Amino acid sequence: MSRTAPALTLGIEEEYLLVDAETLELVNAPKALIEECQGAMQGQVSPEFLQCQIEVGTKVCKDITAARDELKRLRSTVARCAKRHGMAPIAASCHPFADWKQQTHTDKSRYNELEQALAGVARRLLICGMHIHVGVESPALRIDLMNQLSYFLPHLLAMSASSPFWLGQDTGLASYRLTVFDNLPRTGLPPQLNSWAEFERMTGALVDLGIIEDSSKIWWDLRPSSRFPTIETRICDVPTKLEHTLTIAALTQCFTRMLWRLAARNQRWRLYSNVLIGENRWRAQRYGLNEGMIDFGQREIVPFEVLAEEMCELLQEDAAALDCEAEVEGVLNLVRNGNSADHQRAVYKERIAAGDTGDEATRAVVRYLIDAFHDGL
């Protein structure tokens, strides 16, 4: 393997929900809003499956500084355009009180086909996510790094969790989004793959049978991108705050470089079965940052505060090489202060303690999400 590090460029995609600025309920994006956003962002914004959603994607970024500038511009533009239409974007994977049965999907051939193929499962997809692309040119290296990177997926989910509420109720989960998404086929943790050829044979069989048109319909938590020479991390909820997105993106980029660094020294991260990784995935989905994760080497549950310190130490060399030390160290603040799910619950509990009804409290959560969207902009 070459000792010259791959470029490890970054790309970030975020999906937002659109709410009425007064009623705080979900609203469909009017055609004029989409056209205004597309004119301002030139191909970096698009409608999503539901008409109340909008998606943005950064350009290929050489480092986290460029990604920060891109994402600030994209978030600011969506917020500015939405405001002119009496709307506001929120970055949360589930709306705290909306009813999925009242939403309509976007009338595009891609989404019409998706709704037809997935039937009732598709109609519940009132969820948003965040995807992180890390550039790795070599297909063989993509597969090798992907196998090892799976270990860290639950940790990224725990940090990003932003969907504790569904239909006005606290679900008890930090990421309810994943329970909805996991109902789709071809989701969950990726299988351990021996080679790029095996991945192509696997996906090719489904394409040849007419089940999927291409590998973009492989919705694993982590996959080789169907469009770009990247590893695409898909497990994350969409973080509410810009800084949390940047910390998670920087960690993903650094984990990838760390694994490449090991490979260049004829070493590797130990591979664990999906049964074991799946336990941590569930812990992240259920508890977020609050009950720790299993360290399979030590055979014990480790508090996330300790894991955050270990991440900073483990990735110190990589963060320096990628010039993202501040963003990686941001994991300490994220864990100390809580993720979006923690903040949403804190707002809800505060309003209930002040005498609000459950409906009033969930609306206060939406107001918090509108305000927090602008943090760092």
Side-chain angles (χ1 to χ4, degrees), residues 63-65 68 243 246-251 253-254 308 311-313 315-333:
D63 55 29
I64 198 69
T65 299
R68 176 187 296 277
E243 287 302 324
L246 294 169
T247 284
I248 294 166
L251 286 169
Q253 186 187 33
C254 285
M311 288 179 203
C312 289
E313 182 179 353
L315 301 175
Q316 185 175 10
E317 176 182 335
D318 308 288
L322 295 169
D323 196 21
C324 59
E325 293 103 322
E327 287 78 12
V328 167
E329 289 173 4
V331 69
L332 301 175
N333 285 330

Side-chain angles (χ1 to χ4, degrees), residues 14-283:
E14 289 190 323
E15 299 164 355
Y16 309 134
L17 293 166
L18 294 169
V19 301
D20 185 285
E22 296 297 326
T23 69
L24 308 177
E25 296 182 358
L26 288 176
V27 288
N28 291 342
K31 184 178 179 181
L33 170 61
I34 297 297
E35 291 176 347
E36 187 176 343
C37 287
Q38 289 174 335
M41 291 183 271
Q42 300 176 353
Q44 290 182 262
V45 63
S46 63
E48 249 299 321
F49 177 67
L50 294 176
Q51 291 185 31
C52 59
Q53 296 172 302
I54 192 168
E55 180 181 16
V56 300
T58 68
K59 297 177 181 177
V60 178
C61 301
K62 64 182 180 66
D63 55 29
I64 198 69
T65 299
R68 176 187 296 277
D69 292 342
E70 275 283 284
L71 208 52
K72 285 176 68 173
R73 178 176 61 83
L74 295 174
R75 281 197 174 207
S76 297
T77 303
V78 170
R80 185 174 64 252
C81 294
K83 186 176 181 179
R84 284 198 281 268
H85 293 266
M87 302 176 185
I90 61 172
S93 282
C94 293
H95 186 281
F97 63 81
D99 187 342
W100 59 269
K101 294 186 292 294
Q102 297 176 0
Q103 309 309 314
T104 53
H105 77 271
T106 302
D107 187 16
K108 290 177 61 176
S109 59
R110 168 183 170 82
Y111 297 133
N112 292 337
E113 291 168 5
L114 191 65
E115 197 273 342
Q116 178 65 30
L118 299 177
V121 173
R123 299 182 195 118
R124 294 181 64 236
L125 288 179
L126 184 53
I127 54 174
C128 293
M130 185 258 291
H131 305 159
I132 300 166
H133 292 260
V134 177
V136 179
E137 288 289 339
S138 165
L141 183 59
R142 249 174 273 160
I143 294 298
D144 185 43
L145 297 180
M146 194 177 86
N147 286 337
Q148 300 171 73
L149 190 59
S150 289
Y151 179 87
F152 301 101
L153 292 175
H155 303 70
L156 300 175
L157 172 63
M159 289 182 274
S160 71
S162 67
S163 50
F165 294 99
W166 183 256
L167 295 175
Q169 301 293 319
D170 188 332
T171 66
L173 276 67
S175 174
Y176 188 77
R177 158 189 158 265
L178 218 56
T179 70
V180 177
F181 195 71
D182 282 349
N183 283 301
L184 273 63
R186 302 178 295 281
T187 56
L189 293 167
Q192 296 287 333
L193 298 168
N194 294 316
S195 65
W196 178 257
E198 182 182 5
F199 174 73
E200 288 194 313
R201 285 195 300 272
M202 180 186 301
T203 56
L206 298 178
V207 172
D208 291 345
L209 288 167
I211 295 172
I212 59 176
E213 65 266 27
D214 55 46
S215 62
S216 68
K217 294 298 190 297
I218 302 293
W219 295 310
W220 298 331
D221 296 339
L222 179 68
R223 71 181 184 185
S225 170
S226 63
R227 296 185 294 159
F228 310 111
T230 64
I231 301 172
E232 182 184 2
T233 302
R234 300 171 49 83
I235 196 172
C236 292
D237 276 11
V238 56
T240 297
K241 296 187 177 183
L242 174 72
E243 287 302 324
H244 290 180
T245 290
L246 294 169
T247 284
I248 294 166
L251 286 169
T252 304
Q253 186 187 33
C254 285
F255 280 134
T256 307
R257 188 185 186 279
M258 180 271 293
L259 296 172
W260 165 83
R261 178 163 52 86
L262 290 179
R265 299 171 184 172
N266 293 317
Q267 299 171 337
R268 64 189 296 109
W269 198 262
R270 182 173 176 180
L271 300 181
Y272 293 93
S273 78
N274 279 358
V275 172
L276 295 179
I277 297 174
E279 283 300 313
N280 269 344
R281 186 181 189 267
W282 165 247
R283 295 185 69 82

